[in-house]
Amino acid sequence: MVKFLKQNKAVIVLQGRYAGRKAVIVRNFDDGTRDRPYGHCLVAGIKKYPSKVIRKDSAKKTAKKSRVKAFVKLVNYQHLMPTRYTLDVDLKDVVSPDALQSKDKKVTALKETKKRFEERFKTGKNRWFFTKLRF
């Protein structure tokens, strides 16, 4: 079988708290692990999408509207829908499975992920990834 859920692939989370949210695969666990004996992956996604910015907004308001909230989670492959898009944001050094073990490590990983997503949003690349799903 062809492995199509690769690193940096944009996916949509289908189940749970972040259902309908877009995420990017950080690391794959095709064969599973001891505590999760099924195929899963570590994803970093957008909890709160940036709002629409209009021309008359002040610089302060523009900065507030272009904020992004992120989440980091281990997700079963069954609960992901792959997309045709890839996102070349390097999160492998920031987000790791052991970062989810303790609260303070997770908080620092989330802050760094948020910062990298905001940088990517401000460059104007990957516009689709930063828009809310409409259906």
Side-chain angles (χ1 to χ4, degrees), residues 79-92:
H79 306 311
L80 293 176
M81 186 171 84
T83 63
R84 63 183 178 176
Y85 300 102
T86 55
L87 197 75
D88 49 334
V89 176
D90 188 38
L91 294 169
K92 198 165 178 92

Side-chain angles (χ1 to χ4, degrees), residues 24-127:
V24 62
I25 296 176
V26 178
R27 189 165 169 212
N28 299 63
F29 300 97
D30 291 325
D31 302 324
T33 56
R34 194 129 114 314
D35 48 327
R36 288 174 185 261
Y38 46 84
H40 61 281
C41 58
L42 181 65
V43 298
I46 299 180
K47 189 192 290 190
K48 186 171 184 283
Y49 292 98
S51 304
K52 189 171 183 170
V53 177
I54 54 176
R55 190 180 294 152
K56 70 175 185 180
D57 286 343
S58 64
K60 188 178 172 186
K61 197 164 189 178
T62 303
K64 189 174 170 125
K65 280 186 171 182
S66 50
R67 281 192 193 139
V68 174
K69 267 194 172 179
F71 70 87
V72 176
K73 195 175 166 83
L74 283 166
V75 184
N76 187 338
Y77 283 156
Q78 306 292 325
H79 306 311
L80 293 176
M81 186 171 84
T83 63
R84 63 183 178 176
Y85 300 102
T86 55
L87 197 75
D88 49 334
V89 176
D90 188 38
L91 294 169
K92 198 165 178 92
D93 57 333
V94 180
V95 181
S96 61
D98 55 296
L100 298 175
Q101 302 302 326
S102 68
K103 184 76 173 166
D104 54 332
K105 281 184 185 176
K106 187 173 182 178
V107 167
T108 54
L110 285 171
K111 282 182 183 170
E112 189 61 33
T113 305
K114 170 187 161 77
K115 195 172 94 180
R116 296 204 183 173
F117 276 158
E118 282 178 358
E119 283 171 13
R120 175 52 55 144
F121 175 68
K122 286 185 177 109
T123 59
K125 292 183 179 143
N126 307 102
R127 176 99 24 101

